[in-house]
Amino acid sequence: VPSGPSIQESVPGEEAPNRTYQDLLKSPEDEEVYEKFTTVQLLFFDITSRLTVQLGTPDMNRAAIFSPDGRFLLVSATRKPFSYAVPDGRFARELEVWELPALGDEPGSSGGDAIRARWPVASLPVRDKIPTPNDAVEDCPREFSWREDAPHTLTFVEALDGGDPRKPASQEGFRDQVFWIEGPPFAIESRRPGPRTELRYGGQSACKDGTRLLSEWRWKDRRFKTWVLP
């Protein structure tokens, strides 16, 4: 039985336009159920020794992505407070990079923790202030991943227009900028600036011959452009 009414507060003068979503959290009881079913334990299984060891502790892990050289793991986990206004894909997140045992290393005794080191990358807030246009994005770092053409270099993107396509682009005419983090350590403060895009960033990839491609797009006129990085 709920202990009281569900109360939501808004900050006077602070706009937070949102679409209408279904199946949102509505009560503390929903929060408890959500946390229970999204908390998982990441495991490391060594096929040679047949040992299973823990990676960290149980957490609300959303994703775990291996670096191209297999040495590091980019881990994204949901963080409180939860929102009743947006779906879980927009909840606050914390990103870390974990160093895994090298190939051939003994992972440790069964039940132990195989993480050799860990570095905090970014703490991202609840994304409840994203404008409503289709190509609007959050006004904070986004699109964290590994560069395909490097052993363990992180890449992410930031909007140069506040994330709102209705606003003018930067003075140079760009809307997004790519950044790289060459670790370890993987601190966002050590980022290096990469290419900027006139439209909204749409992804990047690498070919076997070393050619690197970057895409950008705009919803209004369905424009999509891919170009070769120098």
Side-chain angles (χ1 to χ4, degrees), residues 5-26:
S6 176
I7 300 175
Q8 299 185 47
E9 297 183 10
S10 60
V11 179
E14 184 172 327
E15 294 185 2
N18 268 310
R19 302 175 185 274
T20 300
Y21 299 102
Q22 295 180 333
D23 304 321
L24 301 176
L25 300 183
K26 297 180 177 64

Short mmCIF file of all heavy atoms in Angstrom, two decimals, residues 5-26:
data_model
loop_
_atom_site.label_atom_id
_atom_site.label_comp_id
_atom_site.label_asym_id
_atom_site.label_seq_id
_atom_site.Cartn_x
_atom_site.Cartn_y
_atom_site.Cartn_z
N PRO A 5 0.77 10.16 -1.38
CA PRO A 5 0.59 10.49 -2.79
C PRO A 5 1.93 10.61 -3.52
O PRO A 5 2.98 10.85 -2.90
CB PRO A 5 -0.13 11.84 -2.74
CG PRO A 5 0.32 12.45 -1.44
CD PRO A 5 0.45 11.29 -0.49
N SER A 6 1.90 10.45 -4.83
CA SER A 6 3.08 10.64 -5.67
C SER A 6 3.24 12.13 -5.96
O SER A 6 2.34 12.75 -6.51
CB SER A 6 2.97 9.85 -6.98
OG SER A 6 4.07 10.10 -7.82
N ILE A 7 4.37 12.71 -5.57
CA ILE A 7 4.59 14.15 -5.69
C ILE A 7 5.76 14.40 -6.64
O ILE A 7 6.81 13.77 -6.52
CB ILE A 7 4.89 14.78 -4.32
CG1 ILE A 7 3.70 14.56 -3.37
CG2 ILE A 7 5.19 16.27 -4.47
CD1 ILE A 7 3.95 15.04 -1.97
N GLN A 8 5.56 15.31 -7.59
CA GLN A 8 6.63 15.73 -8.49
C GLN A 8 6.81 17.23 -8.38
O GLN A 8 5.84 17.98 -8.29
CB GLN A 8 6.30 15.35 -9.94
CG GLN A 8 6.13 13.85 -10.15
CD GLN A 8 5.93 13.52 -11.62
OE1 GLN A 8 6.66 14.01 -12.48
NE2 GLN A 8 4.93 12.72 -11.90
N GLU A 9 8.07 17.66 -8.35
CA GLU A 9 8.39 19.07 -8.23
C GLU A 9 8.98 19.59 -9.53
O GLU A 9 9.69 18.88 -10.22
CB GLU A 9 9.37 19.31 -7.08
CG GLU A 9 8.82 18.94 -5.72
CD GLU A 9 9.80 19.26 -4.60
OE1 GLU A 9 10.80 19.95 -4.89
OE2 GLU A 9 9.56 18.85 -3.46
N SER A 10 8.69 20.84 -9.85
CA SER A 10 9.28 21.50 -11.01
C SER A 10 9.99 22.77 -10.55
O SER A 10 9.59 23.38 -9.56
CB SER A 10 8.22 21.83 -12.06
OG SER A 10 7.25 22.71 -11.52
N VAL A 11 11.05 23.13 -11.28
CA VAL A 11 11.80 24.33 -10.93
C VAL A 11 11.19 25.52 -11.65
O VAL A 11 11.10 25.52 -12.89
CB VAL A 11 13.29 24.18 -11.34
CG1 VAL A 11 14.06 25.45 -10.99
CG2 VAL A 11 13.90 22.97 -10.65
N PRO A 12 10.73 26.54 -10.94
CA PRO A 12 10.10 27.71 -11.58
C PRO A 12 11.04 28.35 -12.61
O PRO A 12 12.23 28.56 -12.33
CB PRO A 12 9.82 28.65 -10.41
CG PRO A 12 9.77 27.76 -9.20
CD PRO A 12 10.75 26.66 -9.48
N GLY A 13 10.50 28.63 -13.79
CA GLY A 13 11.28 29.30 -14.81
C GLY A 13 12.19 28.40 -15.60
O GLY A 13 12.85 28.85 -16.54
N GLU A 14 12.27 27.12 -15.29
CA GLU A 14 13.14 26.18 -16.01
C GLU A 14 12.29 25.28 -16.90
O GLU A 14 11.51 24.46 -16.41
CB GLU A 14 13.94 25.33 -15.02
CG GLU A 14 14.94 24.42 -15.69
CD GLU A 14 15.85 23.73 -14.69
OE1 GLU A 14 16.17 24.35 -13.65
OE2 GLU A 14 16.24 22.58 -14.96
N GLU A 15 12.43 25.46 -18.21
CA GLU A 15 11.63 24.69 -19.16
C GLU A 15 12.19 23.28 -19.32
O GLU A 15 13.40 23.09 -19.38
CB GLU A 15 11.61 25.39 -20.51
CG GLU A 15 10.91 26.74 -20.48
CD GLU A 15 10.80 27.35 -21.87
OE1 GLU A 15 11.26 26.69 -22.83
OE2 GLU A 15 10.28 28.45 -21.99
N ALA A 16 11.30 22.32 -19.39
CA ALA A 16 11.69 20.94 -19.62
C ALA A 16 10.66 20.28 -20.52
O ALA A 16 9.89 19.42 -20.08
CB ALA A 16 11.82 20.19 -18.29
N PRO A 17 10.61 20.67 -21.80
CA PRO A 17 9.61 20.10 -22.70
C PRO A 17 9.86 18.62 -22.93
O PRO A 17 11.01 18.18 -23.08
CB PRO A 17 9.82 20.91 -23.99
CG PRO A 17 11.25 21.34 -23.93
CD PRO A 17 11.52 21.58 -22.48
N ASN A 18 8.81 17.84 -22.94
CA ASN A 18 8.96 16.40 -23.16
C ASN A 18 7.77 15.88 -23.95
O ASN A 18 6.67 16.44 -23.91
CB ASN A 18 9.04 15.66 -21.82
CG ASN A 18 10.48 15.49 -21.35
OD1 ASN A 18 11.34 15.04 -22.09
ND2 ASN A 18 10.72 15.87 -20.11
N ARG A 19 8.01 14.80 -24.65
CA ARG A 19 6.93 14.10 -25.33
C ARG A 19 6.11 13.33 -24.30
O ARG A 19 6.49 13.22 -23.14
CB ARG A 19 7.50 13.15 -26.38
CG ARG A 19 8.37 13.86 -27.43
CD ARG A 19 9.01 12.83 -28.36
NE ARG A 19 9.93 13.47 -29.30
CZ ARG A 19 9.59 13.99 -30.45
NH1 ARG A 19 8.31 13.95 -30.83
NH2 ARG A 19 10.47 14.54 -31.26
N THR A 20 5.00 12.77 -24.75
CA THR A 20 4.18 11.94 -23.88
C THR A 20 4.62 10.49 -24.03
O THR A 20 4.65 9.96 -25.13
CB THR A 20 2.69 12.07 -24.25
OG1 THR A 20 2.29 13.44 -24.11
CG2 THR A 20 1.85 11.19 -23.35
N TYR A 21 5.04 9.88 -22.93
CA TYR A 21 5.54 8.52 -22.95
C TYR A 21 4.59 7.59 -22.20
O TYR A 21 3.89 8.00 -21.26
CB TYR A 21 6.92 8.44 -22.30
CG TYR A 21 7.98 9.26 -23.00
CD1 TYR A 21 8.37 10.49 -22.48
CD2 TYR A 21 8.60 8.81 -24.16
CE1 TYR A 21 9.36 11.25 -23.10
CE2 TYR A 21 9.58 9.56 -24.78
CZ TYR A 21 9.96 10.77 -24.25
OH TYR A 21 10.93 11.52 -24.86
N GLN A 22 4.61 6.33 -22.60
CA GLN A 22 3.85 5.30 -21.89
C GLN A 22 4.78 4.51 -20.98
O GLN A 22 5.99 4.51 -21.15
CB GLN A 22 3.18 4.36 -22.89
CG GLN A 22 2.13 5.02 -23.77
CD GLN A 22 1.50 4.04 -24.74
OE1 GLN A 22 2.10 3.07 -25.13
NE2 GLN A 22 0.28 4.33 -25.14
N ASP A 23 4.18 3.81 -20.03
CA ASP A 23 4.90 2.86 -19.17
C ASP A 23 6.06 3.51 -18.42
O ASP A 23 7.18 2.99 -18.40
CB ASP A 23 5.41 1.68 -19.99
CG ASP A 23 4.28 0.97 -20.75
OD1 ASP A 23 3.19 0.85 -20.17
OD2 ASP A 23 4.50 0.57 -21.90
N LEU A 24 5.81 4.64 -17.80
CA LEU A 24 6.82 5.29 -16.98
C LEU A 24 6.72 4.82 -15.54
O LEU A 24 5.71 4.24 -15.11
CB LEU A 24 6.62 6.81 -17.02
CG LEU A 24 6.68 7.49 -18.38
CD1 LEU A 24 6.38 8.98 -18.23
CD2 LEU A 24 8.04 7.29 -19.02
N LEU A 25 7.78 5.05 -14.77
CA LEU A 25 7.70 4.81 -13.34
C LEU A 25 6.71 5.79 -12.73
O LEU A 25 6.66 6.96 -13.12
CB LEU A 25 9.07 4.97 -12.68
CG LEU A 25 10.19 4.05 -13.18
CD1 LEU A 25 11.47 4.31 -12.37
CD2 LEU A 25 9.79 2.59 -13.09
N LYS A 26 5.93 5.32 -11.77
CA LYS A 26 4.88 6.17 -11.21
C LYS A 26 4.91 6.25 -9.69
O LYS A 26 4.19 7.06 -9.11
CB LYS A 26 3.50 5.67 -11.65
CG LYS A 26 3.25 5.71 -13.15
CD LYS A 26 1.86 5.20 -13.49
CE LYS A 26 1.56 5.32 -14.98
NZ LYS A 26 2.46 4.45 -15.80
#
